[in-house]
Amino acid sequence: MAEFYKEPSRTFSEYLLIPGYSSKECKVENVSLKTPITKFKKGEEPALSMNIPLTSAVMQSVSGDNLAIALAKEGGISFIFVSQSIESQAAMVRRVKSHKAGFVRSDSNIRPDQTLADILALKERSGHSTVAVTDDGTPEGKMVGLVTSRDYRVSRMAPDTKVSEFMTPFDKLIVAQEGITLSEANDILWDHKLNALPIIDENQRLTSFVFRKDYDSHKENPHELLDSHKRYVVGAGVNTRDYAERIPALVEAGADILCIDSSEGFSEWQKETINFVRNKYGDSVKIGAGNVVDKEGFYFLAEAGADFVKVGIGGGSICITRETKGIGRGQATAIIDVAEARDEYFKRTGIYIPICSDGGLVYDYHMTLALAMGADFLMLGRYFARFDESPTTRLNLNGTYVKEYWGEGSNRARNWQRYDMGGDSKLSFEEGVDSYVPYAGALKDNVQMSLSKVKSTMCNCGVLTIPELQKNAKITLVSATSIVEGGAHDVILKDTSNNVR
């Protein structure tokens, strides 16, 4: 006979947090949202943590390189979408890793015998106006000059003008020797009013650059998430079909963490993918898995070697898996159940495996509830799709600005690998829709507003960290009537639409 659950599966909107005692220390500025993203042993620190508990979904309409950079500046991690060629995905990862660092390997290089037309073409490809001139045009060649936008005027120069004729020659450049500290390099930038400082070795070969804009960026983004080389942290999605080719390319490109992108994680395919990583890289390459919605699924992926486990099936705003296939579980119930398994596994083995709540987050307060119920971090799609930095187009729809947003299970994405059950290489039917979301502006402003609400609620609960919230939170079910009571009611609301600009 089939197994029946006695309790209904519930969503976040069916719960509220009960306030706790707040001491004088419970101030928003004292709250830490730092959280682990990879498993670790009791008494040890995780190999990778985030400064905020937010990741962006492995989706075409969400996680491109621009959003990955913007989210890393705030302290979170974006997982570059997998439904593209291996070469294209690896290139996105490289762009994120090279965008910000203390010492940046030059990605815009040219020979002195090339032309202004080559400079302009290189600037169009890379987006960078600072070009190193090396004898062989490689990032490690002997440096002979530098070209910036101040060195040429397109309107006054012929396209075939040689770079050697307008570059700033090496003997007029201010450079630093390899081995200089980042602090010393920044002092040189400021003392000489430079935008870029080339770093060379004893043979005059270029090793890297230090950029003034990176110093400014760090001061503006105190929570930015950087690796040991001062580069932005970025994740990447993988599937269970071409992982043997895709994973090495992503690792070589510099991806800090991988995530198996699948609608259902309790499968032999995921175990095989994790086994590939462990056999080839050991524990040096980090990979999360999912999605699951119960204890059994968590234990399976934990034993398989996953670094984190993603929770949620059918709760995404563009997901119609429950509607088309009749599988899934209310997101709140799924998180509560899997969190219990995570804690039991930790007590039994001494290994803590973070869990990620994926889907079902409609309002900002749902973020706090998900964390209180046991999630270590959250994965969001619709939330990030609304921002300037997402890969989609901003449109004016009937006088309202919107951005496009589609599911990986839609015909538009054609990400059949995500729903692969070992059959034909195609999408048999849709499990996602093509839609619009209201345009919301810049990621930075919205993320900071959302997290200020999370921090404020944590203070109301008398806690200053996510582990304290998970340990001390008091959560209550609410009735349908109390949900109505919680909003504006029994009043006539003023129409303020004319005041909105």
Side-chain angles (χ1 to χ4, degrees):
M1 183 177 177
E3 179 180 355
F4 289 86
Y5 287 82
K6 295 181 180 180
E7 294 294 324
S9 65
R10 300 187 182 276
T11 67
F12 294 126
S13 291
E14 296 177 77
Y15 292 91
L16 287 174
L17 287 156
I18 301 296
Y21 170 73
S22 299
S23 70
K24 290 183 178 180
E25 293 299 311
C26 287
K27 301 176 182 178
V28 169
E29 57 268 28
N30 292 337
V31 174
S32 169
L33 294 179
K34 188 171 183 178
T35 192
I37 193 171
T38 57
K39 65 183 178 183
F40 58 94
K41 292 181 180 179
K42 186 176 182 180
E44 297 181 358
E45 289 295 316
L48 185 59
S49 294
M50 296 187 294
N51 293 326
I52 62 172
L54 303 184
T55 63
S56 67
V58 191
M59 300 176 70
Q60 289 179 6
S61 55
V62 178
S63 294
D65 48 308
N66 287 334
L67 190 129
I69 292 167
L71 184 53
K73 287 180 179 179
E74 298 307 309
I77 296 177
S78 193
F79 286 91
I80 302 295
F81 67 91
V82 63
S83 50
Q84 59 179 317
S85 71
I86 295 173
E87 295 75 18
S88 176
Q89 188 184 21
M92 283 191 175
V93 171
R94 287 192 188 94
R95 286 198 290 273
V96 177
K97 298 304 292 186
S98 65
H99 182 82
K100 166 68 165 70
F103 295 91
V104 184
R105 183 176 184 269
S106 178
D107 65 353
S108 296
N109 310 281
I110 205 162
R111 299 189 312 274
D113 62 336
Q114 290 182 267
T115 65
L116 175 60
D118 295 322
I119 286 282
L120 298 177
L122 181 58
K123 182 179 178 181
E124 178 70 22
R125 289 196 305 272
S126 69
H128 299 153
S129 58
T130 299
V131 180
V133 186
T134 58
D135 58 350
D136 57 4
T138 68
E140 297 85 15
K142 182 177 180 180
M143 191 169 192
V144 296
L146 187 70
V147 174
T148 70
S149 57
R150 293 177 296 180
D151 291 314
Y152 58 85
R153 292 281 296 273
V154 176
S155 61
R156 295 187 179 185
M157 295 170 59
D160 60 356
T161 305
K162 298 293 186 184
V163 170
S164 58
E165 296 179 29
F166 61 88
M167 70 181 187
T168 301
F170 181 81
D171 58 8
K172 294 190 177 177
L173 292 174
I174 294 173
V175 301
Q177 291 292 319
E178 189 176 22
I180 190 173
T181 67
L182 184 58
S183 177
E184 290 169 339
N186 280 321
D187 286 342
I188 294 175
L189 285 171
W190 284 93
D191 291 344
H192 295 276
K193 300 180 180 179
L194 303 174
N195 289 323
L197 177 67
I199 310 297
I200 60 170
D201 66 13
E202 58 185 8
N203 297 315
Q204 201 176 310
R205 303 187 76 83
L206 180 65
T207 63
S208 59
F209 274 100
V210 176
F211 291 101
R212 183 191 187 108
K213 66 179 178 62
D214 290 345
Y215 178 89
D216 295 337
S217 175
H218 177 69
K219 294 302 180 183
E220 293 172 2
N221 303 288
H223 299 298
E224 63 184 354
L225 195 60
L226 306 175
D227 65 16
S228 59
H229 300 289
K230 304 296 184 182
R231 301 174 301 180
Y232 284 134
V233 172
V234 63
V238 299
N239 60 53
T240 57
R241 278 278 183 162
D242 64 8
Y243 58 85
E245 296 79 35
R246 190 176 294 269
I247 289 176
L250 294 172
V251 171
E252 191 276 332
D256 297 278
I257 187 167
L258 307 174
C259 177
I260 302 175
D261 181 41
S262 174
S263 64
E264 209 277 289
F266 195 178
S267 75
E268 187 175 358
W269 309 109
Q270 295 227 353
K271 185 177 181 181
E272 286 184 354
T273 305
I274 297 171
N275 284 343
F276 170 82
V277 171
R278 297 295 172 241
N279 291 334
K280 186 174 179 65
Y281 301 102
D283 289 327
S284 64
V285 170
K286 306 303 180 184
I287 183 167
N291 286 19
V292 299
V293 292
D294 63 2
K295 293 179 179 178
E296 193 176 5
F298 171 85
Y299 289 135
F300 173 80
L301 292 178
E303 294 297 337
D307 282 292
F308 68 83
V309 173
K310 200 141 62 79
V311 181
I313 294 178
S317 60
I318 41 70
C319 182
I320 54 173
T321 295
R322 297 180 192 175
E323 183 179 326
T324 57
K325 297 173 68 174
I327 64 169
R329 199 176 194 186
Q331 188 66 8
T333 299
I335 287 294
I336 293 168
D337 197 27
V338 174
E340 288 180 356
R342 185 266 320 279
D343 292 345
E344 187 280 328
Y345 188 84
F346 179 54
K347 290 179 182 178
R348 175 162 51 89
T349 67
I351 299 174
Y352 188 92
I353 302 178
I355 61 173
C356 167
S357 179
D358 179 18
L361 298 165
V362 181
Y363 305 107
D364 286 346
Y365 82 89
H366 287 175
M367 294 181 182
T368 320
L369 276 169
L371 296 170
M373 290 174 178
D376 295 282
F377 61 98
L378 319 172
M379 179 170 280
L380 303 103
R382 178 192 61 85
Y383 179 84
F384 287 113
R386 304 173 301 146
F387 302 148
D388 287 320
E389 296 85 354
S390 73
T392 62
T393 305
R394 188 182 72 165
L395 305 171
N396 190 315
L397 189 65
N398 299 323
T400 300
Y401 282 110
V402 297
K403 294 205 77 176
E404 295 178 292
Y405 180 48
W406 60 90
E408 290 298 288
S410 67
N411 276 326
R412 181 171 184 175
R414 295 188 178 279
N415 185 7
W416 60 268
Q417 294 98 332
R418 189 177 200 274
Y419 302 86
D420 180 30
M421 298 298 289
D424 294 335
S425 300
K426 63 180 182 180
L427 195 65
S428 301
F429 54 87
E430 289 189 285
E431 293 189 44
V433 299
D434 198 342
S435 64
Y436 301 106
V437 289
Y439 168 67
L443 178 146
K444 184 181 186 70
D445 297 336
N446 285 275
V447 165
Q448 290 185 355
M449 175 61 74
S450 295
L451 294 182
S452 69
K453 296 177 185 178
V454 172
K455 291 180 179 180
S456 179
T457 304
M458 289 172 64
C459 287
N460 292 144
C461 295
V463 299
L464 295 175
T465 67
I466 292 174
E468 287 179 5
L469 178 66
Q470 294 169 344
K471 179 181 178 181
N472 299 324
K474 295 181 288 184
I475 304 172
T476 181
L477 272 168
V478 294
S479 68
T481 305
S482 65
I483 292 174
V484 175
E485 180 187 63
H489 60 91
D490 300 317
V491 295
I492 301 173
L493 295 177
K494 293 181 179 179
D495 182 3
T496 59
S497 59
N498 292 332
N499 297 324
V500 178
R501 296 181 180 178

